[in-house]
Amino acid sequence: MDWRTMLPFWPQLDEAQRRLLEASAVSRQIAAGRTVHGGSGDCAGLLLVQDGRLRAFLVTDEGRELTLYRLLPGELCLFSASCMLRGMEVDVLVEAEADTRLTQLPAPAVQQVLEQSAPAANWVNQLMAARFSDVLWRMEQILSKKLDGRLAAFLLEEARLQGTDRLRLTHDQIARHLGSAREVVTRLLRYFQEEGLVRLSRGGVALADRAALADLAADSLRP
């Protein structure tokens, strides 16, 4: 995938702006589990995912992780460039969930283009609004939805991403996604197993009743 096609405003840039981004673009291979962006103290610039998958997450005061959203091929991470946006300090971390190939556009070059190109600046504003919508939806889920529904929704979403109902996930990994404690997740998964919704194995969870999980997750599946 050509990273240029991932920027809707590319055709509207002038030749100098295109040359600037092309000269600054860096191709990176990120191994699964590696941190790509370390929070508000880091400024990686724009990250354009070409293959693999990234995870954007927060760390609570208690040290628990909470997944905000995933980035799939063809999608861009903007929070990694939040240093370019005035008055914004977002302590979002980004890691590779799978081996990932991406293009990084460093913040100085992107900032210069945003200052010169209204279409580019408008696109960034729209993308930031969409990402904040994702985050607010996630916060609303945490504050008002039960964990069993959120867990069911997560399992269904993970099955879609992995392309299989046999998920290679530990209870600790699931807890990190949901911002919960591993013990709580284990207790819920065992209940799900007793109810015939899943089958548990060492290091994995298999979906046994998708329909029942979908019913339970009805209020926690993103429209």
Side-chain angles (χ1 to χ4, degrees):
M1 179 181 297
D2 188 333
W3 61 267
R4 299 164 188 81
T5 65
M6 299 168 62
L7 301 175
F9 57 82
W10 182 264
Q12 296 167 284
L13 298 181
D14 62 32
E15 192 60 33
Q17 293 161 351
R18 292 182 185 181
R19 285 200 302 268
L20 174 62
L21 292 181
E22 289 174 332
S24 62
V26 178
S27 296
R28 298 181 60 188
Q29 295 281 348
I30 312 294
R34 295 290 299 275
T35 297
V36 183
H37 172 70
S40 59
D42 193 3
C43 194
L46 280 182
L47 304 177
L48 296 80
V49 182
Q50 292 168 290
D51 290 300
R53 186 167 75 243
L54 300 181
R55 177 175 79 108
F57 64 99
L58 295 173
V59 178
T60 69
D61 292 340
E62 295 79 21
R64 293 177 182 172
E65 295 181 8
L66 172 65
T67 298
L68 298 176
Y69 56 85
R70 268 80 166 265
L71 292 161
L72 304 177
E75 297 183 326
L76 300 88
C77 184
L78 186 57
F79 281 128
S80 57
S82 60
C83 60
M84 301 183 307
L85 308 176
R86 293 178 182 175
M88 179 173 293
E89 290 188 8
V90 184
D91 214 14
V92 173
L93 290 82
V94 182
E95 70 173 13
E97 272 200 310
D99 291 343
T100 300
R101 181 171 62 91
L102 59 82
T103 294
Q104 179 179 350
L105 298 179
V110 176
Q111 181 68 56
Q112 183 173 331
V113 170
L114 294 182
E115 291 172 353
Q116 298 173 352
S117 170
N122 290 337
W123 173 81
V124 165
N125 289 335
Q126 292 171 8
L127 181 59
M128 182 59 74
R131 288 303 179 213
F132 268 116
S133 176
D134 292 337
V135 172
L136 290 174
W137 182 85
R138 186 68 62 191
M139 294 299 111
E140 191 269 340
Q141 287 289 308
I142 295 169
L143 293 172
S144 64
K145 305 301 180 183
K146 293 182 178 180
L147 185 59
D148 58 353
R150 291 171 52 217
L151 174 57
F154 171 77
L155 294 175
L156 290 169
E157 175 67 9
E158 193 67 19
R160 183 184 68 81
L161 289 174
Q162 293 192 22
T164 177
D165 284 350
R166 301 180 64 85
L167 309 178
R168 295 174 56 85
L169 282 171
T170 66
H171 297 188
D172 183 63
Q173 287 174 312
I174 297 172
R176 287 168 55 201
H177 279 289
L178 297 176
S180 183
R182 181 185 58 79
E183 296 79 7
V184 175
V185 168
T186 295
R187 187 163 58 248
L188 274 175
L189 286 172
R190 287 174 177 168
Y191 170 73
F192 281 11
Q193 181 169 248
E194 291 171 0
E195 294 297 309
L197 277 64
V198 302
R199 293 187 300 275
L200 303 180
S201 60
R202 187 175 183 83
V205 180
L207 278 57
D209 190 336
R210 271 181 167 268
L213 285 170
D215 287 342
L216 185 59
D219 292 335
S220 296
L221 289 171
R222 190 70 194 262

